[in-house]
Amino acid sequence: NFINKQEGINDKLLGYLENDDKTNQVGVVQKQQEMDKRLSNLETYKKVVVGISASLIGLTAWITNLLK
């Protein structure tokens, strides 16, 4: 009896974790992978924006210094 209940619980958990091709429902594992990619892209974008901003500030200061 316990084994039958445990198998039902395991099946239910796998249903949440893995993709379900029958219902086209995305599982938690795939969602986590997608979120990791999005976060990585966001962090890269943030670094690029900070780098470009710092470069523009430096270039502006250099040009201002030349015009003095």
Side-chain angles (χ1 to χ4, degrees):
N1 192 20
F2 173 77
I3 292 173
N4 290 337
K5 286 182 182 180
Q6 188 62 45
E7 285 179 5
I9 292 171
N10 291 348
D11 290 340
K12 194 170 191 176
L13 289 173
L14 287 176
Y16 291 123
L17 295 175
E18 298 175 342
N19 294 345
D20 188 353
D21 295 332
K22 295 176 187 173
T23 62
N24 291 329
Q25 185 173 350
V26 179
V28 174
V29 174
Q30 184 174 344
K31 285 181 183 178
Q32 179 64 39
Q33 290 172 346
E34 291 171 0
M35 293 301 289
D36 287 343
K37 288 178 189 175
R38 291 179 66 191
L39 180 61
S40 177
N41 290 340
L42 182 61
E43 289 172 343
T44 301
Y45 176 76
K46 180 182 172 185
K47 289 176 185 176
V48 168
V49 168
V50 168
I52 290 173
S53 299
S55 297
L56 289 175
I57 290 170
L59 181 63
T60 303
W62 180 70
I63 290 173
T64 303
N65 199 18
L66 284 177
L67 297 176
K68 284 185 180 180

